[in-house]
């Protein structure tokens, strides 16, 4: 019974990024991030994305990842992704406190979780296909899907903000808390 309930929630997670109706259904059923099984989904998401980053770097930036064993880079990328995720959650708490955005904070955190889960569910079979077939053109498909999902996620974030927030506050939030950590991650990656 619990497996069917969790499977239903996962189906809602996949659809919630694209449909406001499914996102509302997900919110009515309970906070997805507070579900005790969500930590396992988040771990799967982070490990899948980490493996994808390591494989991508091994293919397109082999000089940057040839100094250490592959597993060391997976550990390093995982630590960096977990740190960035926790940092962004903490900064979102500060942002919600400073600008009285407590109601939107939960929606923003849920959309982040949904975005990561959608990316990792698409990425997992693509990484297996790339690893075992050696067909590197799959990375271009992954990039296109990532950009499309990212655009939908940004649109959803703008819709949450347009409810009752200032555009300048959202611009500051988005640049410093959503873009800056990934820019720093890329900088560290290129300087390894």
């Amino acid at each position: 019974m619990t497996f069917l309930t969790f499977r239903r929630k996962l189906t809602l997670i996949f659809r919630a990024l694209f449909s406001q109706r499914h996102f509302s259904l997900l919110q009515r059923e309970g906070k997805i991030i507070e579900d005790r099984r969500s930590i396992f989904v988040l771990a799967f998401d982070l490990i899948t994305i980490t493996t994808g980053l390591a494989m991508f770097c091994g293919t397109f930036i082999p000089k940057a990842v040839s100094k250490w064993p592959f597993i060391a880079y997976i550990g390093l990328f995982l630590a960096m992704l977990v740190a960035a995720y926790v940092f962004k959650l903490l900064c979102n708490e500060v942002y919600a406190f400073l600008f009285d955005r407590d109601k939107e904070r939960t929606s923003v955190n849920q959309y982040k979780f949904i975005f990561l889960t959608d990316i990792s569910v698409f990425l997992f079979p693509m990484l297996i296909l790339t690893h075992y077939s050696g067909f590197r053109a799959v990375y271009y498909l992954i990039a296109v899907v990532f950009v499309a999902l990212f655009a939908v996620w940004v649109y959803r974030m703008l819709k949450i903000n347009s409810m009752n927030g200032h555009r300048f506050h959202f611009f500051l939030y988005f640049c410093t808390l959503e873009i800056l950590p990934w820019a720093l991650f890329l900088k560290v990656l290129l300087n390894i």
Side-chain angles (χ1 to χ4, degrees):
M1 182 68 174
T2 57
F3 176 74
L4 291 175
T5 305
F6 190 64
R7 196 184 103 212
R8 184 175 187 291
K9 275 193 179 180
L10 280 177
T11 304
L12 282 175
I13 287 172
F14 302 140
R15 295 178 180 172
L17 188 64
F18 303 102
S19 166
Q20 182 61 38
R21 183 176 75 94
H22 287 99
F23 184 70
S24 298
L25 258 164
L26 196 62
Q27 284 184 316
R28 261 185 272 150
E29 286 188 2
K31 305 287 187 256
I32 188 148
I33 297 173
E34 295 170 4
D35 188 354
R36 66 178 183 262
R37 292 167 289 207
S38 66
I39 192 73
F40 297 111
V41 175
L42 184 61
F44 170 77
D45 296 347
L46 291 175
I47 290 170
T48 302
I49 292 169
T50 299
T51 305
L53 279 171
M55 287 175 66
F56 180 82
C57 291
T59 301
F60 293 106
I61 317 171
K63 182 181 169 190
V65 293
S66 62
K67 298 174 187 171
W68 298 335
F70 184 74
I71 196 72
Y73 284 100
I74 288 181
L76 177 68
F77 291 164
L78 183 61
M80 290 170 61
L81 282 176
V82 168
Y85 187 77
V86 169
F87 174 74
K88 289 167 78 172
L89 286 179
L90 291 175
C91 289
N92 196 15
E93 294 290 328
V94 171
Y95 174 74
F97 176 76
L98 290 177
F99 299 111
D100 194 30
R101 307 280 295 183
D102 203 38
K103 182 177 144 187
E104 289 84 4
R105 179 195 68 215
T106 304
S107 296
V108 167
N109 288 340
Q110 287 179 347
Y111 271 123
K112 284 180 188 176
F113 183 80
I114 290 167
F115 173 71
L116 286 175
T117 303
D118 285 356
I119 285 290
S120 65
V121 165
F122 172 76
L123 190 61
F124 187 72
M126 294 296 117
L127 292 177
I128 291 172
L129 176 70
T130 304
H131 181 72
Y132 288 109
S133 72
F135 191 58
R136 304 294 184 209
V138 174
Y139 287 121
Y140 299 111
L141 175 66
I142 291 170
V144 168
V145 170
F146 176 78
V147 168
L149 287 175
F150 184 75
V152 171
W153 178 71
V154 169
Y155 172 73
R156 291 290 181 191
M157 297 292 284
L158 286 171
K159 270 192 91 133
I160 290 171
N161 181 58
S162 67
M163 290 179 194
N164 61 356
H166 298 289
R167 293 197 188 277
F168 181 69
H169 292 161
F170 179 75
F171 177 74
L172 287 176
Y173 160 78
F174 195 77
C175 288
T176 56
L177 302 181
E178 298 299 333
I179 303 291
L180 185 64
W182 299 121
L184 291 174
F185 180 77
L186 185 63
K187 174 83 171 149
V188 168
L189 175 67
L190 293 176
N191 289 333
I192 290 179

